[in-house]
Amino acid sequence: MDCRMTEGDIALVLALLIMIACSLHFGPRIQAGRIAMQWGFDREPVWSAPKAIGLWALPILAIGLRILIALAE
């Protein structure tokens, strides 16, 4: 098993650092309990998620997908 970091792993780490920094930076500034997650063509929110899920779901999903890719290799 090769444990060296590839260019893709480096890009993932950089993207994760940006996602985590944004969640930590903007999280306390968001006053609402829910965050709009998707907008329709009429520019109105289609659905929303609780603030914690909206802020942290993407980094967790990215880590989970990388783990699945590593297991498939």
Side-chain angles (χ1 to χ4, degrees):
M1 181 173 173
D2 191 8
C3 294
R4 288 181 291 158
M5 286 186 69
T6 65
E7 292 87 2
D9 292 329
I10 294 169
L12 175 67
V13 169
L14 291 174
L16 280 171
L17 289 173
I18 292 169
M19 286 186 262
I20 292 168
C22 287
S23 292
L24 291 173
H25 177 75
F26 291 112
R29 291 165 173 75
I30 298 172
Q31 300 299 319
R34 298 184 69 81
I35 299 174
M37 299 299 291
Q38 183 178 9
W39 289 262
F41 291 112
D42 59 355
R43 298 184 178 173
E44 294 296 318
V46 176
W47 66 281
S48 62
K51 184 170 125 174
I53 293 173
L55 288 172
W56 296 105
L58 189 58
I60 292 170
L61 177 66
I63 293 167
L65 285 174
R66 182 58 188 113
I67 290 170
L68 284 175
I69 291 168
L71 292 174
E73 290 178 341

